[in-house]
Amino acid sequence: MNPTKPTLLVARAMFPDALARLNDYFELELNQEDRIFSPDELTERLQGKFGMICTSSAKINQDLLAKLPELKIISTIAVGYDNFDLQACTQHQVMATNAPDVLNETTADFAWALMMATARRVTEAEHFLRNGEWQKWGVDFFVGADIHGSRLGILGMGRIGQAIARRAAGFGMDVIYHNRSRLSAEQETVAHHARYVDKESLLRESDHLILALPYSPESHHSIAAAELAQMKPSATLINIARGGIVDDVALIAALRNRQIAGAGLDVFENEPRFHPDFLDLKNVVLTPHIASASERTRRAMVNRAITNVIAAVRGEVPPDLLNRDVLEM
Ligand code: GLV
């Protein structure tokens, strides 16, 4: 072991050939068996470490940071960083970084995959076929909703929301969106053909509503019973953002009562122990948080996290630093 190199914890299993880039800078502690560490084990493994590369499964809060005076950087391979308490990171002089941009297009692709599968009842029809229930064809057999020519609503018009919107042109969709801040007129008309509306209009007018906003205490249960009640009975709801943005119990009730037609969900409250009642519903397409899971994109996310920790160890500002105020400490 070279005692002059700082040590880095790579908290989850990751592409070994990508991680090789780290060897020039760090002694690595790996977890290639991919166990999920309990908070106590994570604290123990982070003792004396310069930094960590992690995913959304690592909860970084005041309690943990108070026990880690030597830690300098936590670098998630995800774009979402709701598992990081940024204020606590700054207070403990720990840089926090994420991996934006590299997953926008892949995640937008997947939002479309879920929207199309939900509207056209693809997984429900496949289950029917696999169960040996297919006896005859019928005129109203698995009829669903059109994507082309319909109205796409997007809640959260950041980089992923915009990538979703761009795809709508090929399907002749009318795109409306709601976001904390409105896009520039040029972005709205030239790039995305999207119209800004208030949240109530978005809920009332969307045929397919895709959620693409980050999770925060402010966005907790942005879609709950009151919001679902405003949607069209023929509408579909797609969540590729984060569990907790939707009130899952309210959504289950809305799907059961056909208050909306269907939902496509890649994220859930309490992942991976999602609400079991989803399994009893036919009008829902369920996937296990895989929206960014193309090989190329997952590699790009890992590489981005690696670039951030290498910048930190070289005394440079990591390109994706989230808590810039840490530099003034
Ligand atoms: C995945 O959920 C991410 O935030 O990158």
Side-chain angles (χ1 to χ4, degrees):
M1 221 147 118
N2 178 348
T4 64
K5 284 195 217 167
T7 53
L8 183 85
L9 176 67
V10 182
R12 299 292 306 274
M14 294 183 194
F15 309 104
D17 54 325
L19 296 179
R21 250 177 89 206
L22 292 163
N23 288 326
D24 286 346
Y25 300 92
F26 296 104
E27 292 299 336
L28 296 181
E29 182 171 322
L30 302 179
N31 174 22
Q32 291 301 81
E33 65 276 20
D34 208 29
R35 289 191 312 103
I36 304 286
F37 300 140
S38 67
D40 282 350
E41 186 172 0
L42 186 62
T43 312
E44 197 178 306
R45 286 180 179 271
L46 280 171
Q47 290 303 324
K49 297 284 188 306
F50 175 89
M52 166 171 73
I53 293 180
C54 62
T55 67
S56 302
S57 62
K59 306 278 173 262
I60 306 298
N61 53 28
Q62 190 68 256
D63 266 9
L64 179 110
L65 293 169
K67 296 174 190 142
L68 302 167
E70 290 163 75
L71 192 67
K72 299 282 182 298
I73 180 164
I74 47 168
S75 169
T76 177
I77 69 152
V79 65
Y81 50 88
D82 44 286
N83 53 318
F84 291 173
D85 178 339
L86 287 189
Q87 244 183 329
C89 288
T90 300
Q91 196 184 321
H92 292 276
Q93 300 187 39
V94 173
M95 290 180 276
T97 63
N98 68 337
D101 296 323
V102 288
L103 44 53
N104 296 345
E105 301 299 329
T106 299
T107 303
D109 284 352
F110 196 79
W112 271 75
L114 265 188
M115 174 171 66
M116 296 186 82
T118 305
R120 297 298 304 274
R121 304 169 61 182
V122 172
T123 58
E124 182 187 353
E126 183 178 355
H127 280 122
F128 174 88
L129 181 150
R130 283 181 185 273
N131 286 341
E133 294 173 52
W134 189 12
Q135 303 296 333
K136 61 178 175 29
W137 188 89
V139 173
D140 61 355
F141 199 37
F142 287 105
V143 292
D146 275 329
I147 299 292
H148 75 273
S150 68
R151 181 170 294 133
L152 171 62
I154 302 175
L155 183 60
M157 199 57 147
R159 290 164 290 208
I160 294 172
Q162 291 174 42
I164 292 167
R166 280 196 299 277
R167 285 157 172 74
F171 284 76
M173 294 178 94
D174 179 31
V175 183
I176 55 177
Y177 77 96
H178 183 73
N179 195 46
R180 268 178 313 182
S181 51
R182 193 171 169 170
L183 299 181
S184 69
E186 188 179 338
Q187 280 175 314
E188 281 186 3
T189 51
V190 181
H192 309 301
H193 305 281
R195 202 156 36 86
Y196 179 84
V197 294
D198 60 25
K199 186 174 169 191
E200 214 175 278
S201 307
L202 185 81
L203 294 166
R204 267 192 283 105
E205 294 169 18
S206 297
D207 293 314
H208 307 287
L209 176 59
I210 300 184
L211 308 179
L213 67 169
Y215 179 78
S216 68
E218 293 75 50
S219 66
H220 180 75
H221 286 187
S222 288
I223 302 293
E227 287 75 21
L228 291 161
Q230 294 176 68
M231 293 177 66
K232 296 183 187 184
S234 56
T236 62
L237 176 71
I238 309 301
N239 190 3
I240 47 89
R242 271 289 180 278
I245 293 173
V246 176
D247 176 345
D248 283 351
V249 170
L251 176 58
I252 287 164
L255 289 166
R256 199 174 272 141
N257 304 333
R258 302 277 164 172
Q259 210 168 9
I260 64 170
L265 306 171
D266 188 47
V267 287
F268 304 87
E269 294 191 286
N270 301 320
E271 281 174 36
R273 277 172 281 285
F274 60 92
H275 199 302
D277 287 6
F278 278 123
L279 297 176
D280 299 330
L281 296 168
K282 289 192 169 165
N283 51 344
V284 66
V285 177
L286 307 168
T287 53
H289 203 147
I290 58 168
S292 65
S294 75
E295 163 113 18
R296 189 167 59 168
T297 290
R298 283 287 163 85
R299 282 182 174 277
M301 292 162 71
V302 168
N303 269 310
R304 191 101 178 198
I306 291 173
T307 298
N308 282 310
V309 292
I310 291 177
V313 80
R314 288 162 60 111
E316 297 158 9
V317 177
D320 303 311
L321 184 61
L322 294 164
N323 53 337
R324 295 197 78 82
D325 47 349
V326 76
L327 300 174
E328 286 141 35
M329 299 290 287

